[in-house]
Amino acid sequence: MSSHYKVLAHETFMEQFNDFLDKHTQSIQSLMAQIVGAAKDPLNFGKTMAGVQSSLLRGRIRRYHVSGRSGFRLICLIDTDHQVVMPVFLSSDVRAALKYDDIPWEDYAAQILDDLISERWEKFTVFTIPD
Amino acid sequence: MKQGSQKHKRAPTCTIPADVFRRIYLYTIIGKFNNGVYGAVRLQKTAYISERNEHVVKPFSYKKHHFGEYSEQVDNIREQLISLGFVKALPLSTSLKFTIEFDGKSYDYVTGGNRYIISDTEIYELCKSVISTSYPKLLKSVEQTIDQYGYKKEEDLLKCCYDFDEFKDKKDEDVIFETDLPDWVEISDISDDVCDELTLMFTPSFINFVTMVTDGFERTTIEWEKVKKVVLPL
């Protein structure tokens, strides 16, 4: 049985993921390394957002650099109870051009919640990571 | 050279968007007060007086309102800081609390003012360093404003504000001044990674998003056998 966390992505992330694979072929290896690292060492790999004030969120949000500090950003939610890593955001812009206020977070949240409540599991993808 | 154009002795290490800078700036003002800010009006006026100095950048736009100099941005950002958990609004002893029953639910409503305090001194120190490295004169102006006006009785503070020439010269709803903050603010001496984290922490739509998704998953049992499986293309 695998020891690493499951990586569960909603289709809102899969769109960003597939778009990234098309546009940034030179960074694919780095992206995969971040996802594998997050799954295999979820509580140490990447950086946690320590300053978040909400007790619900504390320790759950982790950030990863794709293609280095000045490159792209991957954000995952970590669920230790269910041993799940959920990638929720992958930037298509490098850090210097990234404006988080312009990301349609509310649309993403509405779609994910709607699919969860309606149990539309076909909207979710689990990545299989070789041991 | 006006301060708004940013003079750097060292190369900037990162940039943050203007809206995030405004949240960080207002948080810094609140944190600068000993024992919190007594009332939203005091916060409005402190931000206004700090900015009216012509040698500092203006993070907020101000209009003449029938209650005095007013910035809608300041009110909105104060509410955002509360919803993010960075600022606590404590009802003043002079305030009145009502509970309204509506549609089977009860809502608390407080009138008569709140005291606003920061909830995280470590984040406050970081925010203060963002302001001091990007616009040191603005931070100095905030400190001077708080010393000179911040602890006056509210009626005395209002009287001072009504006596400013630029206020007396304007009609209701006239713009007193517009923000001249650049779309991206350059920050030196703070790592790009810290800037990135600060930006996310001070982006309410992102925090709402992760809250909703986390809460949604807490309430759900995933049926793994129905979820699509894809081998990660390593």
Side-chain angles (χ1 to χ4, degrees), chain B residues 26 42 44 54 64-65 86 101 103 107-110 127 165 174 186-188 199-200 223 227:
Chain B
L26 200 68
R42 188 177 304 276
Q44 279 275 353
E54 64 184 32
K64 178 168 180 171
H65 191 267
F86 285 119
E101 298 278 337
D103 206 17
Y107 299 90
D108 289 335
Y109 175 70
V110 177
C127 291
D165 287 341
D174 276 358
E186 294 177 350
I187 314 287
S188 54
T199 301
L200 276 170
E223 295 177 47
V227 176

Side-chain angles (χ1 to χ4, degrees), chain B residues 85-138:
Chain B
F86 285 119
V87 168
K88 287 180 185 157
L90 309 173
L92 293 169
S93 57
T94 51
S95 67
L96 296 169
K97 185 176 170 185
F98 298 96
T99 301
I100 300 166
E101 298 278 337
F102 179 73
D103 206 17
K105 291 179 180 171
S106 63
Y107 299 90
D108 289 335
Y109 175 70
V110 177
T111 184
N114 289 305
R115 179 164 66 99
Y116 301 98
I117 59 167
I118 58 164
S119 60
D120 191 323
T121 50
E122 208 173 311
I123 298 294
Y124 162 69
E125 290 299 331
L126 191 55
C127 291
K128 195 173 68 174
S129 67
V130 166
I131 308 300
S132 68
T133 55
S134 53
Y135 296 111
K137 286 182 185 171
L138 179 63

Side-chain angles (χ1 to χ4, degrees), chain A residues 6 8 17 21 28 32 35-36 47-54 56-57 60-61 63 65 69-70 73 75 77 81-82 84 86 88 95-101 103 105-106 108-110 112-113 116 119 121-122 124-130, chain B residues 14-20 23 27 84-86 119-120 123 183-184 191-197 199-218 220-224 226-234:
Chain A
K6 286 177 176 159
L8 179 71
F17 180 80
L21 297 189
I28 292 174
M32 297 310 160
I35 295 174
V36 171
K47 280 200 165 181
T48 188
M49 277 185 61
V52 170
Q53 300 296 299
S54 156
L56 175 74
L57 299 178
R60 288 195 181 222
I61 311 171
R63 300 177 300 118
H65 297 162
R69 285 185 171 202
S70 57
R73 291 294 182 265
I75 299 173
L77 298 179
D81 290 343
H82 300 98
V84 171
M86 188 179 185
V88 290
R95 164 68 183 96
L98 181 56
K99 208 168 175 184
Y100 290 112
D101 260 337
I103 308 293
W105 299 112
E106 286 171 13
Y108 291 163
I112 296 170
L113 273 187
L116 278 175
E119 299 185 351
W121 302 113
E122 71 279 9
F124 293 86
T125 299
V126 63
F127 288 122
T128 305
I129 296 169
Chain B
C14 70
T15 55
I16 55 173
D19 284 344
V20 171
R23 292 171 198 133
Y27 190 64
L84 288 168
F86 285 119
S119 60
D120 191 323
I123 298 294
D183 289 345
W184 292 88
S191 78
D192 190 56
D193 205 42
V194 171
C195 274
D196 200 39
E197 177 161 353
T199 301
L200 276 170
M201 279 191 303
F202 281 91
T203 299
S205 52
F206 169 73
I207 297 296
N208 288 343
F209 162 73
V210 286
T211 303
M212 287 169 75
V213 172
T214 302
D215 192 48
F217 272 95
E218 292 260 299
T220 310
T221 304
I222 301 164
E223 295 177 47
W224 289 103
K226 294 184 182 173
V227 176
K228 274 186 290 185
K229 288 168 188 62
V230 168
V231 177
L232 198 65
L234 296 175

Side-chain angles (χ1 to χ4, degrees), chain B residues 157-174:
Chain B
L157 175 62
L158 287 173
K159 190 176 179 316
C160 291
C161 290
Y162 293 156
D163 283 344
F164 290 139
D165 287 341
E166 75 275 15
F167 181 75
K168 288 193 281 191
D169 293 347
K170 296 278 191 299
K171 299 191 295 289
D172 263 10
E173 295 302 311
D174 276 358

